Amino acid sequence: MGLLAYLKTQFILHLLIGFVFVVSGLVINFTQLCTLVLWPVNKQLYRRLNCRLAYSLWSQLVMLLEWWSCTECTLFTDQATMDCLGKEHVVIILNHNFEIDFLCGWTMCERFGVLGSSKVLAKRELLCVPLIGWTWYFLEIVFCKRKWEEDRDTVIEGLRRLADYPEYMWFLLYCEGTRFTEKKHRVSMEVAASKGLPPLKYHLLPRTKGFTTAVQCLRGTVAAVYDVTLNFRGNKNPSLLGILYGKKYEADMCLRRFPLEVIPQDEKEAAQWLHKLYQEKDALQEMYNQKGVFPGEPFRPARRPWTLLNFLFWATVLLSPLFSFALGVFASGSPLLILMFLGFVGAASFGVRRLIGVTEIEKGSSYGNQEFKKKE
């Protein structure tokens, strides 16, 4: 193990990275709060500012993937689709099998200049997660309780509000509703059988309401739907902790572009289109498991320096006073001050670990585990 690889495994460095992320996030959230005064005066200026503030936070996580772990991301698609990336509003459908699938999506958002303006249909519980949920609130992210009877009006209103968004946005949908687990898959396939739908081997049965509503509300704004099927070489199952320890992964993403015109306007027909799409995604995963490659021409968009420069900026601003303070505490010789400082370090460690825990599959929601499902 080289010196750099050894340093990446050290807890103290992880703690410092977490400190920079948390404190910079709080500064960014406070700044976002201050920008609320712009909303009634100039809504589009408010949105542009918050896109850049969000970029300054999200790009720190992307930096870990691109520069700390040096994970490589390859797109399998065609040149015509590559020419469209970052130049249109789109809905993105991504399989939800891995702890860092969102991070792989974000790195592609960053490389095509839409990280700050990326959107997602998120579960309402995330609104209470410090930094992540708070930043999303200021970005006008659409939150839902995953109970359609209660969510319908909120989701429709939130989606329609995005119709005049000033920057190109990629709106992410996890149509499966939750991360893949064997238990959830078993229950999901029981539901599929009861509805006469073909079984899926690598995916859960997609929830169609969110998709059909998003397409209907954003028609006229969104130009296309991007279907992204993600997998990792070597049958790896990466985690955010693995990224933090500097483990390098190789992510492959099969990207297919569907112009919005090909998606039926009728809700039932659009739902059938989505079920067919997931059958195709299942076939793509089967091909990948057998051949180790997705169909299409491989593209590896170059990583950009801005994520690294942004992190170095925050690290310089925040770590210099931290080191000065720590030296002062230990130089004082006061047992009370030293114990208080060590307590702060312990609390910070716990907080960072809790934030990482949000991404872990085994700590995911129980959504999808119920033995009996209501029909959509």
Side-chain angles (χ1 to χ4, degrees):
M1 178 186 293
L3 176 61
L4 183 58
Y6 172 76
L7 290 174
K8 289 180 180 181
T9 65
Q10 298 308 294
F11 172 74
I12 186 63
L13 286 184
H14 302 163
L15 193 58
L16 291 175
I17 291 172
F19 174 82
V20 172
F21 179 76
V22 170
V23 177
S24 66
L26 292 174
V27 172
I28 289 168
N29 285 162
F30 178 75
T31 307
Q32 289 181 303
L33 180 63
C34 294
T35 65
L36 283 175
V37 298
L38 292 173
W39 180 268
V41 179
N42 191 329
K43 181 173 68 174
Q44 303 297 43
L45 176 60
Y46 165 88
R47 286 170 160 174
R48 293 183 187 278
L49 286 175
N50 275 277
C51 283
R52 281 141 189 84
L53 289 168
Y55 177 88
S56 189
L57 185 60
W58 301 151
S59 64
Q60 294 181 50
L61 297 177
V62 174
M63 182 280 299
L64 289 176
L65 187 79
E66 294 184 338
W67 295 94
W68 186 259
S69 80
C70 297
T71 291
E72 296 179 353
C73 297
T74 304
L75 287 177
F76 290 82
T77 185
D78 55 74
Q79 187 61 54
T81 299
M82 289 293 296
D83 293 340
C84 295
L85 298 183
K87 300 175 183 177
E88 57 185 356
H89 296 297
V90 298
V91 170
I92 294 184
I93 297 173
L94 178 63
N95 55 305
H96 207 8
N97 299 69
F98 305 98
E99 290 184 13
I100 66 165
D101 45 32
F102 77 98
L103 202 49
C104 293
W106 272 0
T107 193
M108 285 302 160
C109 287
E110 199 290 319
R111 295 182 191 195
F112 292 101
V114 294
L115 177 59
S117 58
S118 60
K119 308 294 180 188
V120 65
L121 183 62
K123 58 184 179 182
R124 190 165 184 81
E125 295 95 319
L126 291 176
L127 181 59
C128 301
V129 177
L131 308 182
I132 297 172
W134 300 347
T135 303
W136 274 350
Y137 172 80
F138 294 110
L139 283 176
E140 304 170 76
I141 293 299
V142 182
F143 292 96
C144 62
K145 298 178 182 177
R146 299 192 292 196
K147 296 179 181 178
W148 184 243
E149 296 78 11
E150 301 178 27
D151 288 331
R152 185 179 183 278
D153 292 341
T154 303
V155 170
I156 290 175
E157 180 184 355
L159 290 169
R160 287 178 175 169
R161 198 165 51 232
L162 298 175
D164 62 342
Y165 211 77
E167 310 226 348
Y168 290 127
M169 64 175 177
W170 288 7
F171 191 96
L172 173 63
L173 288 176
Y174 287 118
C175 293
E176 295 163 89
T178 186
R179 278 200 179 92
F180 184 101
T181 67
E182 290 300 330
K183 182 178 180 181
K184 292 175 183 178
H185 181 253
R186 176 175 58 80
V187 175
S188 179
M189 291 306 98
E190 290 175 359
V191 176
S194 70
K195 294 184 176 182
L197 295 170
L200 300 172
K201 185 176 180 180
Y202 303 101
H203 300 85
L204 305 180
L205 189 69
R207 311 292 175 125
T208 61
K209 291 291 186 183
F211 171 75
T212 57
T213 302
V215 169
Q216 181 181 17
C217 292
L218 295 175
R219 199 176 286 273
T221 299
V222 165
V225 170
Y226 292 173
D227 171 52
V228 182
T229 304
L230 168 69
N231 212 323
F232 289 86
R233 297 181 193 177
N235 199 30
K236 296 289 181 63
N237 192 9
S239 66
L240 192 54
L241 272 177
I243 295 295
L244 199 56
Y245 275 84
K247 293 182 181 179
K248 181 178 180 178
Y249 303 102
E250 294 177 293
D252 289 334
M253 290 176 270
C254 181
L255 170 60
R256 299 184 296 165
R257 182 183 185 274
F258 297 93
L260 209 64
E261 293 76 22
V262 307
I263 300 173
Q265 296 192 29
D266 179 77
E267 182 178 350
K268 290 185 178 180
E269 292 180 2
Q272 292 172 359
W273 184 91
L274 182 65
H275 284 301
K276 182 175 181 295
L277 181 78
Y278 267 78
Q279 293 163 26
E280 295 172 359
K281 288 172 75 69
D282 227 46
L284 287 170
Q285 290 285 31
E286 181 68 24
M287 177 186 297
Y288 189 88
N289 286 338
Q290 291 180 359
K291 300 182 178 181
V293 67
F294 284 121
E297 185 179 353
F299 295 88
R300 187 169 292 172
R303 62 183 180 179
R304 307 192 304 173
W306 312 123
T307 57
L308 180 61
L309 293 175
N310 175 75
F311 177 79
L312 291 176
F313 164 77
W314 282 112
T316 302
V317 169
L318 297 175
L319 292 182
S320 297
L322 176 66
F323 291 152
S324 297
F325 176 75
L327 287 174
V329 167
F330 286 99
S332 71
S334 169
L336 179 60
L337 283 177
I338 293 174
L339 285 174
M340 289 177 63
F341 179 75
L342 292 177
F344 168 77
V345 171
S349 174
F350 176 77
V352 170
R353 188 63 186 82
R354 287 295 298 271
L355 282 175
I356 292 174
V358 173
T359 70
E360 294 178 347
I361 292 177
E362 63 269 20
K363 295 183 180 178
S365 71
S366 61
Y367 184 69
N369 281 336
Q370 296 91 338
E371 292 298 329
F372 299 99
K373 298 288 184 180
K374 292 183 180 180
K375 292 183 177 180
E376 293 184 324

